[in-house]
Amino acid sequence: MDPTASLPGATPALRAWAIWGLIVDEIAKLGSVVEPREHFVLLAAFRLPPLPDGSTTWAANLGDRFGQLAEVRGLFGERKPLSNTPMNKAWAGALEMLATAVTGKLGHLEGDDWLPYADIGRSAAAAETPSGDNSPDGCRTPSEGAQPVFVERMVVTVVMHRRTALRRITERDVVARKDGVDGYVVHALIGWSGNLADIPVKALWNCRLVASPGDPGLAKLRFRRKLWVNEAYNFVSEAVDAHLDEERRWISVEVDHHGVARAGLTIRVNFDEDCLPEACWWYAEQLEVERLRRPPTGSPRLLDVGDGFVQHTFDGCCHPREEYGIAFSWPGK
């Protein structure tokens, strides 16, 4: 059986993060017991920080990365090695030690033991993702399919009905990242059959709703004009869940565009006064199994439910391909 199969909520992605986190953690531990050259070849092989002085990224292939190590003064003797042979020898010994350490852990880890490694793996992957030259405000490079806008400000206000999300109003100030941007694609709530007349999304300001071809789960908010690159635009939309049959445990924003500026994303939740959660907290760039974990008492991520109004503004840049939100736990859960 796959060693990570016992991991709670063992999705393929979560299991991959856990294995990667175990490897990263063992490499870090080996750094204190092996020679510096062996530790550095492991870092080079797996493209982990820190990088050699003068390098901003690891090279694409292992041979070239070993070439980068050859430039590190004193790592392989007083003189710069003329070939990759010293690195190859160090790599053979270091890899054997790493394989032994990882194999030993695989025989003992089970269930919740894997969760810290999933955290390590996800953090390591995020740290090695470089910022793109055209990514505003330090955001990571978006994927090729990302919507071509950067969000300067987004305010999401959710009105709850008991344990369900009745209404979600979203205000957006965006900047076009190319010429000809004419709209913004939003995700429709569950239960939509594809009939435009029944779509649970409304255009409230400076846009109108049009069909999004190919996927009935998506809707497009068409702007009043096409935008030029770097042109700003403001619009407001609303999503309404008329079915009210899905208990919510979080309110999430998926960044499927070029990112959100620092302190640009605010999420507000108005809970039903007759159905308040017992705890509420914000999360950023976490897996589903992680975001449902209530932070310990005193954590700055905990939010005061009070009389049912909860708000959080995310201080940093919200990166493409990540999710940010507010989670909560209901009494009796």
Side-chain angles (χ1 to χ4, degrees), residues 117-247:
Y117 293 107
D119 290 339
I120 293 171
R122 190 173 178 85
S123 297
E128 68 175 328
T129 304
S131 295
D133 293 339
N134 297 320
S135 297
D137 204 32
C139 284
R140 299 176 199 138
T141 304
S143 62
E144 291 184 4
Q147 300 197 63
V149 297
F150 179 73
V151 178
E152 295 284 358
R153 173 179 170 270
M154 178 186 292
V155 179
V156 180
T157 303
V158 177
V159 179
M160 302 289 290
H161 173 72
R162 302 196 63 79
R163 297 186 178 187
T164 61
L166 173 61
R167 301 170 60 204
R168 176 172 172 148
I169 301 172
T170 305
E171 306 170 49
R172 299 178 180 90
D173 294 329
V174 304
V175 177
R177 286 297 167 222
K178 68 176 186 179
D179 289 337
V181 176
D182 66 348
Y184 186 91
V185 176
V186 295
H187 293 269
L189 298 181
I190 60 169
W192 182 40
S193 64
N195 183 355
L196 187 60
D198 297 329
I199 186 173
V201 175
K202 296 181 180 180
L204 297 185
W205 173 256
N206 228 14
C207 59
R208 60 185 177 87
L209 187 66
V210 297
S212 182
D215 190 341
L218 301 176
K220 186 168 186 177
L221 299 169
R222 179 70 54 79
F223 300 155
R224 299 173 69 183
R225 64 180 184 278
K226 292 184 178 181
L227 306 181
W228 296 102
V229 64
N230 293 330
E231 182 179 358
Y233 196 80
N234 167 263
F235 62 104
V236 184
S237 64
E238 178 183 28
V240 180
D241 190 348
H243 296 276
L244 295 178
D245 56 2
E246 181 185 15
E247 179 179 285

